[in-house]
Structure formats: structure tokens, C-alpha cells
Amino acid sequence: MQKSNRFGCHQIFDMSAGRHQSDEEPKVIKLKVMIDKTRNRVIFAESDHEFIDTLFSFLTLPLGTVLRLLEKDMVQLGSISRVYASVYSLDPRFLRTSYCKSMLIMPRNSSEVQCEKLKLNVDHSEIAGKLFVCSDYYPCNNLFSISQNTRCCLCDNLMRFPKRIYDKEEKRSSGEGSVVEVFLKGGAASFMITDDLQVMPASTASLTALFGKLGVSDKNEIEAKTVEVGTKEVLQLLKFALLSKMPLTNMVLNNQGNWVKDTSKFENNQTAKLEKKAMSQNSNSMSLKLIVSKSNKKVLYAEAGVKLVDFLFSFLAFPLGAVVKHLGGNSRLGCIDNLYKAAADLSSENYMKSEECKNMLLSPKLFPHSGFDSHILQVGEEYPKYRYGFEGLEIVGDTNKSEGSSIGCEEKTSDLVVTSESIESEEAASNFAIIMDPKSPTGETIKGEGYLKGPATFMILDNLLVTPFSPTSIITQLNQMKVSPSDVEERTVIVGKDEALNLLKASLISKTVLNDVFNIREPYPKVMLKV
């Protein structure tokens, strides 16, 4: 049955598919919190590795997952929420496969195997850490699917049998009673978390410096409190971490007023600006037609083809940590930048479980086949080798093998495509899993195309709401804007890497993205728009 969501879009499939509500006793983590009673705000919280693991896991979440998790709270995050809404309501005929939509609005996490070990995991899923095969006993040439119930490209049977992914460490674990380590070492170390999500090992020096910075001198102003944090509180903390400068206060003291104030200031004052550089152009540059009002010099909307809209939609697959990395640690998303810096500053030798775990936070990758080879930004794509056995799929070897795809990756990929001619290939005959690209109608296993089926033209509004281009809708849009057809002109721009990064940044913090990114440049070549 169809129903409308908060964007006014019809839900065309079950968004909760694969999500699991456990009947077990709710898990909680206890935090010791120091509160400044005079200012009614949290000074810091004290915790062990379990809560810090949960905090750091935010960096692994794709933007599409973040928006889905926060949707019930009516959270609007810049203009990226409109991109999400555009994908949500897009007619499937514009997509290469039916699974393309869920890859963007329910993207899988490349660190999902690790995150399933968290005591508090806000994105638990029935399919996390699993791939699917067409036969429970003899899968076709070790061919696996990311999505359940897709058709095997060899035998045409539904790929409905799950196979669990595990790593060597999990296989060696000592079982019940052992300390579960995710990103941090599971020792007795204690950490301080400030109100703006700076994380540091607990020490007298850190404590003294924090009290001095906040101007706390009277011990009578301080109150100690122990709070229990469950999944509900973690979701609230995720929301406040994206929108507020004092998320712990917002969560612990339920101080909604400060959150609303911070959000308003954040959206109105922190807009993206282009650097004054030469326009970047390379083989992956994209063309964009801006429709501009001649009288007030504002961008009304834009016309774009499949390549640029694929680029905008791909933001939803980007993990938060990858966004912060590509924006130079300056995403301006609440306190997420502080969280990223905290993960970078913690010593791999003393606190992080391994350098690999640290990289999962600082350089998180896309889930396999979430990228495409014409992408202008170089966000790496995870492509581990899985060895298939009776127990499931074991992660082995380097995760950057050439068989995988990588956005912007310059190295050559394997020419392996699953066809009748390639069945006898050495890879297919081995015990290594071959993963189909769910974006490909033919089930290819190499780097491929994006999510959209071309050719097609789309209209992009200033707030990044994307709809299929229609002359009728253009007239309606101009009428709503009270703009005469004689007052518009067309300007063609090239979107290179600089512009692409600014589109990403502005999408997170602005509701007037096209004007923020493009209307501050020198005049573009223009042509009169004929309507």
C-alpha cells in the first residue's frame, strides 16, 4: 500500500525492509556527566571505549542512512534532504535497476561488519554483514548479490539465500565474556567527551584546561550525574551532532531551545563560497545550464543530464567521514568536524584497535558497487576479497584489489564480466566470491555506470530538488516564482572538481545551493531562453 512521507512523496516500497526490532532487553551504556548548574549545560561526559566506539561509528554512516534515521524527527539538513526526497519519489523508469533507489536511500555501510559489534548500533539491519546466493548449496560460480531476491544473471533464480560475512579476528574470538572491540582497544582507558564532541583520554591536564576554557571555578556550580544512554538517545545525539554546537547538553538535559537557536544560525550564516581559482576541467567534468533571472541576477533553476544528477544523487552514498575528509575537515556540520579530528588525534598505538580501524573512520569507503567510474570526486570504494566456505564468507587479503571499483580510481580494473564465456575463468572457478553490480541490468561485476538510465534531462531547483524535465512544469515553476519568460536567460557552466566540492559542501549547509555556488562568478556565456 502506498503512503505519503513528509516530503509529500508516495512510498513505493517498504522502507523498513531488512530492519530488525529486537525482543531482547534494551541495551544501555552508562555515562558519568558533569553539569554546570549555573549555565545549565554539560561540561563533559566520562566513558570507556564502548560509548566512544558508538560516537565514532557516526563517521561510517552514509548520508542517505543519516537522513533516513532522522526522518521521523523532521530533520532538514541543508539541501541534501531535498536530494534524498528527489530519489525517494523518482519514477523507477529513470533508474537502471529497481535496486538503485534503495542503494541511495538505504545505502549499506562499508564498515557494517564492524558496526554490528557495537553495543548501541543505530543502523542495525537483518542484511548487514550478509551477501546472497541463488542456491544454498551450489551457488552459480560463486556469484553473490548485495541485495536479496535479485535474479541470478546465470540461472535466473532468485538470490535469496544469505551467507554471513566474518573476519579472521571474529573467527578467533574467545566467545562469551570476551571484550568486544570495534574501533578502539577494549582496555580500561577512560575518555572525556566535551559538550561539542571533542574526545580525549582522561587526564588532570585535560580537565584543568577544559575548566579554564569554560570559566568554571566554583565547585558548587558543578553537579555530577549518571545517565543511561540507549539507542533512542544515540539517535538524538546523532541529530544534535549534525545541527548543534552543544549536542551533549541537548541530549542529557533535553535542552531543545539551544538546539533550535544553533540550527537557525548554522543555516543562515554558514554558506559555501567558491575559491577564486581557474575553473577545473578534466575528462569527468560536467555541463550544467543555469536559468537566470536577468533582472535580479539570481539562479532560478538548472537543467542537467544524467551525469550531473548521478553525481548529486551519489552524495547519499558518501559516509560522513569521507565528506569531512574531502572538505578538508571543514564540513560545518554541527560538531561532526570535532568528532573527525578526535578520531585523527587518538593514537593508533595506545587507543585505536589498529591503523586499519582508524582508516575506517578517517577515510571510510563506499560499499561495493556504490560508485561509478565517471565520478569526478575520488571517494574510494570498498571491495574486500571474500573466500567462500561452508561457514560463510571470510574477508581475506587487501581491500583495494583491482577487481573492485573506486570512484576516480586511476588503476585498471579487471575485465571479468560474468557471461557464458567467462564461466571457466580462474576467478570464477576459485573459492573467491564474485559480486554482481546491482546497478547493472546484466549483472556485471566490474566498474560500471551510475544509477540513472539515459538519455534524460532533469530540472534542479535552487534547493537541489530534482525532477524530470517537462515544459509544462517549467511554465508552472516560472509562474510560481512570478518570473516572466522574457526575464530569463540561459548560462552554461562547467562543473569541475572545485565546483563539485562546493556543491557537496553547500548541499549540507545551505538551502540556496545553486546561487551560493555559481552566482558569484564572472558572467557566463549566455543565450536567450526560448519558452
Side-chain angles (χ1 to χ4, degrees), residues 282-321:
N282 58 39
S283 60
N284 290 328
S285 294
M286 300 163 284
S287 176
L288 180 66
K289 292 181 181 179
L290 300 177
I291 309 306
V292 182
S293 168
K294 292 187 289 185
S295 59
N296 60 23
K297 305 299 181 184
K298 287 189 176 181
V299 178
L300 304 174
Y301 61 90
E303 293 177 26
V306 165
K307 187 174 181 179
L308 192 134
V309 177
D310 253 336
F311 165 72
L312 289 179
F313 285 176
S314 72
F315 292 173
L316 300 177
F318 285 13
L320 272 175

Side-chain angles (χ1 to χ4, degrees), residues 136 191 484:
D136 201 19
F191 297 88
S484 168

Side-chain angles (χ1 to χ4, degrees), residues 60 93 216 230 243 246 249 283 331 347 396-397 420 492 513 516 519:
T60 72
R93 66 191 175 93
V216 178
L243 299 170
M246 43 196 302
T249 293
S283 60
S331 72
S347 164
V396 295
S420 58
T492 300
V513 174
D516 290 338
N519 208 36

Side-chain angles (χ1 to χ4, degrees), residues 267-461:
E267 291 180 349
N268 291 338
N269 294 344
Q270 296 189 1
T271 55
K273 294 187 181 299
L274 280 170
E275 299 176 5
K276 295 182 179 179
K277 292 182 178 180
M279 193 175 294
S280 301
Q281 298 189 44
N282 58 39
S283 60
N284 290 328
S285 294
M286 300 163 284
S287 176
L288 180 66
K289 292 181 181 179
L290 300 177
I291 309 306
V292 182
S293 168
K294 292 187 289 185
S295 59
N296 60 23
K297 305 299 181 184
K298 287 189 176 181
V299 178
L300 304 174
Y301 61 90
E303 293 177 26
V306 165
K307 187 174 181 179
L308 192 134
V309 177
D310 253 336
F311 165 72
L312 289 179
F313 285 176
S314 72
F315 292 173
L316 300 177
F318 285 13
L320 272 175
V323 171
V324 177
K325 176 185 175 182
H326 279 76
L327 296 178
N330 188 29
S331 72
R332 299 184 181 180
L333 278 173
C335 295
I336 294 297
D337 293 341
N338 287 345
L339 198 59
Y340 185 89
K341 186 177 184 301
D345 289 345
L346 280 184
S347 164
S348 297
E349 182 179 353
N350 296 324
Y351 302 107
M352 284 291 180
K353 181 179 167 184
S354 67
E355 195 65 31
E356 180 183 359
C357 288
K358 190 168 188 174
N359 287 334
M360 288 181 186
L361 304 174
L362 303 182
S363 300
K365 296 180 180 179
L366 303 175
F367 196 79
H369 291 303
S370 296
F372 47 93
D373 52 9
S374 64
H375 206 291
I376 196 168
L377 298 181
Q378 297 183 2
V379 180
E381 183 174 326
E382 185 77 358
Y383 207 94
K385 274 201 166 189
Y386 301 112
R387 180 181 287 117
Y388 175 53
F390 291 110
E391 296 181 18
L393 293 156
E394 180 182 3
I395 302 175
V396 295
D398 191 352
T399 60
N400 288 315
K401 297 297 184 183
S402 60
E403 289 86 353
S405 68
S406 173
I407 287 182
C409 182
E410 296 179 356
E411 63 183 7
K412 297 292 183 181
T413 59
S414 167
D415 290 330
L416 176 63
V417 181
V418 179
T419 64
S420 58
E421 290 79 14
S422 67
I423 289 177
E424 300 303 323
S425 70
E426 181 180 349
E427 181 90 11
S430 72
N431 284 332
F432 288 105
I434 304 171
I435 304 176
M436 295 195 311
D437 182 357
K439 301 193 305 301
S440 170
T442 57
E444 295 180 359
T445 63
I446 59 172
K447 266 173 86 171
E449 301 176 41
Y451 301 93
L452 296 172
K453 185 192 302 179
T457 304
F458 297 86
M459 178 174 70
I460 307 171
L461 297 185

